[in-house]
Amino acid sequence: MDKQQWTKPQPMWLEDTSLPSFNELKEDTSADVAVIGGGITGITTAYLLAKQGKQVILLDSDHLLNGTTGHTTAKVTAQHGLIYYELMKHFGTEDASLYYQAQMSAFSLIEELIQKYDISCDWKKEDALLYATTNKGALKLDQEYEAYRKIGIEGSLNESLPFDVEAKKALVMHNQARFHPLKYLSALIEEFTKLGGEIYENTKAIDLKEGAKLEIHTGSGATVTCDKAVSCSHFPFYDGKGFYFSRMYAERSYLMAIEPEREIPDGMYLSVDEPKRTIRTAEYNGKPILLVGGESHKTGMGVNTSFHYNAIEEFAAQTFGIKKKLFQWSAQDLTTLDKVPYIGPITRRNDRVFIATGFRKWGMTNGTLAAQLISQSVAGEDSLFHSLFKPSRFKTDPSMKQFLSQNFDVAVHLVEGKLELVADRPQNLKKGEGLVVQWKGERAGAFKDEEDQIHLLDTTCTHMGCEVEWNDAERTWDCPCHGSRFSFDGTVVEGPADQPLMKIAFPYPEQQQITSDEINAEEEQPDQI
Ligand code: FES
C-alpha cells in the first residue's frame, strides 16, 4: 500500500466541487417561504418552490452542503436495506408499495433534473444489492424478496458476489443509480438563484414564533417574516410540540474512499449481517475508486471511535486490497420509530410549518421526496404519499415498542452517566486526546490540544441533561440520548441541543484553557468552602 497518510479526513465530495458562497443575513427580511437547512432536502425544496413562483429564502447555519448531504455515500436507490418485508408486516402491502413508489418518484425527479439541466455529476445506473454471509441473513433476504414480488419491485436473487466475500445469497434491485451529490446540487443552487431565490449562509435559525405571520429568529439577530416555513435541518431546529427528540434516535457510521488493488466491481452493495458493510464505486480525478463503509452505532456509544475506521480499513484491505487511501469521514443519521421518515406538517393541525427528517441513511431519495411532498403541500396539492409520511402518524406496532425502548435508553443514560466512576485525571492526557476525567471530585470532559492546552467542560448535555461521551475519531463530545454533538471547546456541532457545553470555571476565571502544570498546582490546593 502507498505509504501516504490520509490526504484529508473529510468527505471526497467537498474536495472536488467548488461551491458558491453566500453572505450571512444581517437585516430583517421577508419571503413567501423560508427553508431552513442547505442539504439536498432544503436545496431541492427551495428550487421546487421557486419554480412555482414563490419568493423563497434558504438559510443555512454553516455552509451549504456541509452537513449530512456532504457526508453521504450518495446511493440513489429505493433499496433501503431490509425494509419492505417489515413495512408489509406493520403497514400492509399497499403502504409498502407506496413507500417504494415514492422513492422511485424521487429517483425519477433527480434523473429528470440531471437531463433537463445537463448536469455532469457522475450519474451512473447500477444495480443495488443486499448480501448475506450467514444462513440467518439469507433467510431475511428470502423474506425481502417475497415482499419485492408482492409489491412488484424488479429484483432477483443471486448466489455469489463479484468480489472476495463469501456470500450465502444476494438480493438485487435493478436499475438504481449513484452520483456525485455536490456536483448535482451545485447545479440546483444555480437554478434556484436564477429564479430569484435568496441564500444566506452562517445564519442559524434559532427559534420560530407563530403569529399572524411566521417569524424566524436567527443567531445574528435578523428575523425572517414569512407565510410558511420548512425545516430541513437534519434535526428540526424547532420542535413545535412535536416531541421529535423522543421519536428518533441518532446513529453514526463511517466511510472511506480507496484506490483498490483489485478489480472494481459494478454495483452498490450493503450487507445485512453485522458488522454492516456498504460498498459503491465512484470517480476521483478521472479514476474509478471505491467507497467502503459501515460500522454504525448509536451516537455517543461508539467507545473508541477510531476502532471503526480500523475495522473498515481491514475489511477493505482483505476484500479489495488498498493501493491508496484517499479520504475518510463519518456521518450522522436519524431514524424514526417506524423507520419511515417524518415529512409534512410539524403537528397535525399546523399547515404553515413543515419538517423533513429521519431519513435513516437514505437521504438522496428521501430528501428529494420530502422536497416533492412539501412543495406540493405548500401549493395546496394532495398526493398519494402524504399520509404514509405525515409526522403525526403513530402505528402502535412498532412505534410504541420503539418509543419505549428509545426513551428507556435515554433514562438509563441519564442515570448511568451520573453514577459512572471516573478515575482519569486531566494531567494524564496526551496531545490530541480527549477523556472523561475527574476534576475536583466531579465528572468533567477534558481535551488537550496541540499547544498543550487543556479544555475542561461540564459533560452535562445542554439539551436534557444526559452525559456526553468523547468521540476520538471526530474530536467531539457526543450525547447518547438524542445525538447532540459538541466540539472540543463545547460549541454545538449538531442539535437538538442549541446551547454550548458549559466551560468549567477555573481559578483563573478569564482563562478557559490551562496547562498540565497549572492543573497539578490546582489539584494540590484544598477546595474553598
Ligand atoms: Fe438530548 Fe443530549 S441530546 S440530552
Side-chain angles (χ1 to χ4, degrees):
M1 186 180 70
D2 194 309
K3 287 276 183 278
Q4 79 162 39
Q5 294 294 304
W6 295 108
T7 50
K8 289 226 172 128
Q10 67 161 46
M12 60 173 266
W13 317 123
L14 295 169
E15 173 78 4
D16 63 353
T17 320
S18 77
L19 292 167
S21 59
F22 299 89
N23 293 333
E24 180 186 351
L25 179 67
K26 295 224 171 90
E27 289 176 359
D28 293 353
T29 185
S30 62
D32 296 331
V33 189
V35 176
I36 292 90
I40 188 167
T41 314
I43 292 168
T44 315
T45 304
Y47 162 79
L48 291 177
L49 289 169
K51 283 292 274 182
Q52 287 175 13
K54 298 272 185 300
Q55 190 198 348
V56 184
I57 284 183
L58 174 62
L59 306 179
D60 193 276
S61 61
D62 184 29
H63 293 292
L64 296 181
L65 297 168
N66 208 13
T68 313
T69 300
H71 292 73
T72 176
T73 47
K75 292 178 178 176
V76 187
T77 176
Q79 189 182 62
H80 293 181
L82 292 169
I83 184 78
Y84 291 101
Y85 176 74
E86 196 175 326
L87 287 178
M88 267 176 45
K89 229 170 52 184
H90 295 308
F91 289 72
T93 308
E94 199 176 319
D95 277 358
S97 169
L98 278 177
Y99 183 92
Y100 171 69
Q101 290 171 44
Q103 303 305 325
M104 290 313 290
S105 117
F107 182 101
S108 301
L109 176 63
I110 296 173
E111 193 172 32
E112 187 187 308
L113 291 172
I114 290 171
Q115 283 165 4
K116 179 176 169 123
Y117 296 117
D118 195 16
I119 305 173
S120 167
C121 58
D122 308 334
W123 174 260
K124 187 173 175 210
K125 288 272 188 76
E126 290 198 325
D127 290 342
L129 292 95
L130 293 173
Y131 69 87
T133 50
T134 65
N135 289 331
K136 200 170 157 199
L139 276 176
K140 288 183 187 165
L141 289 185
D142 286 337
Q143 288 175 331
E144 190 73 359
Y145 183 48
E146 193 49 37
Y148 279 25
R149 297 206 316 168
K150 289 207 168 113
I151 293 167
I153 299 174
E154 200 194 331
S156 55
L157 281 173
N158 284 357
E159 297 300 323
S160 61
L161 293 172
F163 50 83
D164 209 4
V165 164
E166 222 167 284
K168 302 272 182 203
K169 211 166 261 186
L171 173 60
V172 188
M173 187 182 280
H174 297 287
N175 282 322
Q176 306 299 294
R178 50 76 159 173
F179 69 166
H180 189 307
L182 269 55
K183 287 183 181 168
Y184 164 71
L185 288 163
S186 58
L188 281 200
I189 293 167
E190 194 182 326
E191 294 305 322
F192 171 62
T193 52
K194 276 191 205 157
L195 290 163
E198 289 176 53
I199 299 177
Y200 296 95
E201 292 183 313
N202 297 308
T203 303
K204 188 173 171 60
I206 52 174
D207 200 10
L208 187 151
K209 295 265 182 299
E210 299 190 50
K213 290 260 186 185
L214 301 177
E215 280 180 14
I216 294 167
H217 297 274
T218 68
S220 67
T223 298
V224 181
T225 306
C226 52
D227 298 321
K228 312 254 181 199
V230 188
S231 167
C232 307
S233 56
H234 194 40
F235 205 101
F237 78 99
Y238 169 71
D239 195 70
K241 299 201 178 80
F243 297 101
Y244 288 97
F245 60 85
S246 65
R247 298 167 56 204
M248 290 191 286
Y249 63 87
E251 280 193 327
R252 296 200 69 71
S253 52
Y254 302 82
L255 198 61
M256 60 179 58
I258 61 160
E259 205 181 309
E261 280 169 346
R262 286 167 227 155
E263 203 179 329
I264 291 185
D266 279 338
M268 304 179 286
Y269 302 84
L270 179 65
S271 65
V272 296
D273 300 295
E274 295 298 335
K276 291 269 191 322
R277 295 289 177 256
T278 178
I279 301 157
R280 62 151 275 194
T281 56
E283 281 91 45
Y284 180 64
N285 282 344
K287 271 192 196 165
I289 61 162
L290 271 182
L291 307 186
V292 185
E295 292 287 309
S296 301
H297 61 81
K298 279 198 174 176
T299 300
M301 298 190 204
V303 198
N304 180 349
T305 41
S306 301
F307 166 88
H308 301 294
Y309 283 125
N310 295 339
I312 291 168
E313 185 176 345
E314 200 177 312
F315 170 79
Q318 273 171 13
T319 313
F320 303 104
I322 301 178
K323 198 185 282 176
K324 192 184 272 186
K325 299 188 290 186
L326 299 166
F327 298 91
Q328 65 178 20
W329 67 94
S330 70
Q332 178 146 314
D333 292 279
L334 295 167
T335 299
T336 66
L337 298 176
D338 56 20
K339 297 189 180 168
V340 175
Y342 297 135
I343 301 171
I346 192 159
T347 50
R348 196 183 303 272
R349 287 186 187 81
N350 194 326
D351 62 355
R352 297 192 296 169
V353 184
F354 299 87
I355 64 150
T357 188
F359 297 161
R360 200 176 63 98
K361 301 189 178 76
W362 302 103
M364 298 300 99
T365 55
N366 273 323
T368 305
L369 170 69
Q372 290 175 300
L373 297 188
I374 291 173
S375 58
Q376 284 166 350
S377 293
V378 169
E381 294 166 12
D382 207 358
S383 153
L384 268 180
F385 308 131
H386 281 154
S387 79
L388 174 62
F389 294 92
K390 75 176 175 215
S392 55
R393 69 183 182 269
F394 192 84
K395 303 269 175 193
T396 319
D397 186 16
S399 296
M400 182 54 85
K401 268 192 229 146
Q402 283 299 327
F403 179 81
L404 293 174
S405 148
Q406 160 65 5
N407 289 289
F408 177 74
D409 280 356
V410 169
V412 167
H413 285 296
L414 199 57
V415 176
E416 200 176 55
K418 314 278 178 213
L419 299 179
E420 184 188 4
L421 292 173
V422 181
D424 278 310
R425 294 286 201 278
Q427 49 272 57
N428 301 341
L429 285 166
K430 298 185 199 84
K431 276 186 186 176
E433 191 179 31
L435 275 180
V436 172
V437 296
Q438 195 188 112
W439 173 249
K440 294 187 169 186
E442 300 281 341
R443 188 185 200 271
F447 171 74
K448 186 189 264 190
D449 66 23
E450 296 305 319
E451 273 75 55
D452 219 20
Q453 300 294 309
I454 290 174
H455 304 255
L456 261 186
L457 300 166
D458 183 336
T459 51
T460 310
C461 177
T462 53
H463 177 231
M464 289 177 75
C466 290
E467 295 293 318
V468 296
E469 299 291 341
W470 180 245
N471 171 344
D472 62 340
E474 313 302 318
R475 294 190 172 180
T476 51
W477 292 102
D478 296 354
C479 181
C481 287
H482 312 106
S484 289
R485 297 174 61 231
F486 305 85
S487 76
F488 65 86
D489 65 357
T491 47
V492 178
V493 173
E494 197 140 13
D498 56 8
Q499 295 299 316
L501 292 178
M502 203 169 71
K503 293 181 177 178
I504 289 186
F506 297 125
Y508 328 97
E510 73 290 349
Q511 184 184 348
Q512 301 302 340
Q513 301 163 355
I514 52 175
T515 64
S516 302
D517 289 347
E518 286 168 335
I519 285 176
N520 290 330
E522 167 64 15
E523 283 224 311
E524 279 161 20
Q525 289 173 16
D527 276 344
Q528 279 187 323
I529 298 176

